[in-house]
Amino acid sequence: MMKNKFILCGLIGWCLEIFWTGLKSFQRRQMKLEGHSSIWMFPIYGMAAFLAPIARLLRKKCFWVRGAVYTCAIFLTEYLTGSFLKKRDMCPWDYSRARFNIHGIIRLDYAPVWFLTGLLYERILYGRALTQQTAPESLPKN
């Protein structure tokens, strides 16, 4: 079950990134709307499957709290994986020219994007189970 969630999260992340970078090309008036990603991003996005224990702990919290926690978890994952890949000259992103970057690895202005992405992953992985504050025994098991 966890393997399937990992694969699902990886694929969703890839699709979201390709869509996002395609929108960025639209901003630059590049009408081919080419989106792109990296093979490295699949396991990074796949790690969203490990939000399950956090999601269970937060199931009775409002979406603002859940989204904020997911945002922090995504920033932490992005920073750790980005640092690891950057040391090996393999990091597929570089935010060093962005205004609100930290070490060129994360962009604080992406917080709203990660907030919504975390809630989207929660919804896709668990449907309405968490958002309806269901009893723990009815939540999906990993």
Side-chain angles (χ1 to χ4, degrees):
M1 189 76 139
M2 182 57 88
K3 180 178 84 170
N4 292 344
K5 288 181 182 182
F6 186 90
I7 291 168
L8 178 64
C9 288
L11 292 173
I12 290 168
W14 260 348
C15 291
L16 289 172
E17 183 168 359
I18 290 167
F19 181 77
W20 180 258
T21 56
L23 287 178
K24 291 287 186 179
S25 69
F26 181 73
Q27 257 184 337
R28 293 186 299 270
R29 304 212 189 284
Q30 298 168 339
M31 290 300 130
K32 288 185 180 181
L33 301 180
E34 293 178 326
H36 62 277
S37 189
S38 163
I39 296 290
W40 291 119
M41 297 312 295
F42 179 80
I44 293 170
Y45 287 124
M47 284 188 241
F50 297 111
L51 286 175
I54 296 170
R56 282 192 197 96
L57 289 173
L58 298 174
R59 72 183 176 277
K60 293 183 180 179
K61 302 293 182 189
C62 72
F63 81 98
W64 290 109
V65 172
R66 295 191 328 265
V69 171
Y70 298 146
T71 300
C72 292
I74 291 169
F75 273 142
L76 179 63
T77 302
E78 184 178 32
Y79 190 82
L80 293 174
T81 57
S83 296
F84 177 83
L85 292 170
K86 193 173 187 177
K87 285 180 185 172
R88 289 151 183 79
D89 198 30
M90 299 184 318
C91 191
W93 69 90
D94 179 10
Y95 298 142
S96 56
R97 292 187 179 161
R99 185 173 178 193
F100 299 106
N101 82 82
I102 297 179
H103 303 129
I105 298 171
I106 61 172
R107 290 182 58 164
L108 297 178
D109 57 325
Y110 277 7
V113 174
W114 296 142
F115 183 95
L116 294 173
T117 301
L119 292 172
L120 175 67
Y121 273 119
E122 174 190 82
R123 180 68 143 206
I124 289 169
L125 290 171
Y126 303 107
R128 296 183 186 270
L130 287 177
T131 56
Q132 291 179 341
Q133 299 178 359
T134 318
E137 57 270 9
S138 65
L139 289 175
K141 303 285 189 250
N142 287 337

